[in-house]
Amino acid sequence: MILPIYIYGQPVLRKVAKDITPDYPNLKELIADMFESLTASNGIGLAAPQIGKDIRLVVIDLDVLSDDLPEYKGFRKAFINAHIIEFDESSPKETMEEGCLSLPGLSERVTRPTRIHVKYQDEDFVEHDEWVEGYLARVMQHEFDHLDGKMFIDHLPPFRKQMIVGKLKAMLKGKVSCAYRTKVVCK
């Protein structure tokens, strides 16, 4: 089932999400619905708060980028109870354009570390503790930020934030145009 994407201004996007247990109701269906919603919206990552759930669950599908990034061929994973443990401060930082399904029509250059230490559980609740680098590290940081009530716009310098205030206010008023289902604050 394709779920609506919650747009900037929805309170759940600013909540710190909670860890879940294997008995979370209909978890396998929720993960499948999230992947279906991600595909329908042409995204590469989706966090549970973006569909209105304040739980620590993220799905990432980098297979769609495998023509340009062949190392991600077949990469399609769910991350449960995901946390960034630390950033490798000795790794270089990289600035790249980022967008977000919850901020349609908005993209900005964001600087992030290129290597991070993460802990999460997979769909079978097997624990993973690993260092991740490159493009996957960027996507994880973007998506895992959602689990901590943050969005990529929070990483922008003050002058860039000022430049997008009008677009953010329009989103708060429900003025959003995109090709996927959304749930705005008001209309």
Side-chain angles (χ1 to χ4, degrees), residues 9 27 30 43 68 96 102-103 125 143 145 151 154 156 171-172 178:
L27 182 59
L30 177 60
D68 295 325
M96 291 179 72
S102 293
L103 292 158
F125 279 83
E143 297 306 330
D145 268 358
M151 301 178 88
D154 300 331
L156 299 177
M171 285 182 213
L172 290 174
C178 51

Side-chain angles (χ1 to χ4, degrees), residues 106-125:
L106 190 61
S107 63
E108 290 287 331
R109 295 179 57 73
V110 178
T111 302
R112 295 189 187 267
T114 55
R115 187 167 182 264
I116 58 172
H117 180 197
V118 296
K119 282 188 179 181
Y120 64 91
Q121 294 165 314
D122 61 27
E123 287 186 59
D124 298 316
F125 279 83

Side-chain angles (χ1 to χ4, degrees), residues 37-49:
S37 302
L38 179 63
T39 301
S41 56
N42 291 320
I44 57 172
L46 185 64

Side-chain angles (χ1 to χ4, degrees), residues 108-162:
E108 290 287 331
R109 295 179 57 73
V110 178
T111 302
R112 295 189 187 267
T114 55
R115 187 167 182 264
I116 58 172
H117 180 197
V118 296
K119 282 188 179 181
Y120 64 91
Q121 294 165 314
D122 61 27
E123 287 186 59
D124 298 316
F125 279 83
V126 173
E127 296 271 349
H128 295 265
D129 181 336
E130 52 197 41
W131 284 92
V132 180
E133 53 190 83
Y135 192 70
L136 177 58
R138 171 170 294 274
V139 175
M140 283 180 155
Q141 288 173 78
H142 178 108
E143 297 306 330
F144 294 6
D145 268 358
H146 281 298
L147 305 179
D148 291 324
K150 298 178 191 162
M151 301 178 88
F152 82 86
I153 56 174
D154 300 331
H155 297 283
L156 299 177
F159 73 95
R160 282 306 309 160
K161 283 185 187 170
Q162 257 328 104

